Amino acid sequence: FYEKAVLENSNGEFQEITSGDHLLIRKDKEDHRSVPSYPCRVIFLLTMDHEGQTLDLAHIHWFIRGENTVLGRTGDNKELFLVPQCENIPLSDVSKVIDIQHRPVIHVDSWRAEGGTDLALIEDT
């Protein structure tokens, strides 16, 4: 196990990856071009020996989009759902580090009245 990894993006920028970060994973070559990349959260980073090679991996939990739930296409395309499925993925499959924000709904009635907008998530002080 290790604390962090540094990856170089396709545009030449370097990004640091640590436990708790959110990543976008490249889609498989077999996937249709309309399939979006896969979001996930890093649980821990590790190395593993496989067939004489040392692989740099991230153990991750997957997020799914609303369209892949019972919500179907009625779901908000900006909303992601953390699922219990996890796996080890090669760091070479990481497209980029992304920002995913958990935005809990504290006042459900206000949120419904505002139509699920950002204004509805602001807490009264």
Side-chain angles (χ1 to χ4, degrees):
F1 299 105
Y2 50 100
E3 286 187 34
K4 66 180 176 179
V6 178
L7 294 180
E8 184 176 4
N9 286 348
S10 57
N11 61 3
E13 291 180 10
F14 290 93
Q15 290 187 299
E16 190 174 284
I17 299 173
T18 60
S19 177
D21 282 347
H22 299 101
L23 308 174
L24 210 51
I25 306 302
R26 288 183 187 89
K27 55 188 170 186
D28 296 330
K29 291 178 183 173
E30 299 82 32
D31 287 337
H32 189 269
R33 61 185 167 95
S34 66
V35 173
S37 297
Y38 305 107
C40 66
R41 181 178 68 190
V42 177
I43 306 304
F44 57 86
L45 301 164
L46 68 149
T47 57
M48 185 180 292
D49 291 326
H50 179 70
E51 297 179 359
Q53 289 186 313
T54 300
L55 302 174
D56 293 321
L57 306 169
H59 186 77
I60 54 99
H61 266 152
W62 291 111
F63 284 97
I64 59 173
R65 292 174 172 81
E67 66 188 34
N68 301 115
T69 69
V70 296
L71 296 173
R73 294 190 178 195
T74 63
D76 185 340
N77 62 0
K78 294 180 183 176
E79 194 169 28
L80 298 171
F81 299 88
L82 186 64
V83 293
Q85 286 83 13
C86 61
E87 66 181 283
N88 294 330
I89 53 124
L91 292 180
S92 59
D93 288 350
V94 174
S95 174
K96 63 180 175 178
V97 178
I98 58 174
D99 180 32
I100 296 178
Q101 299 175 3
H102 179 244
R103 301 178 85 181
V105 176
I106 296 167
H107 305 290
V108 176
D109 292 335
S110 171
W111 181 80
R112 285 183 183 145
E114 296 291 335
T117 64
D118 285 344
L119 181 63
L121 295 174
I122 298 172
E123 233 183 301
D124 295 332
T125 53

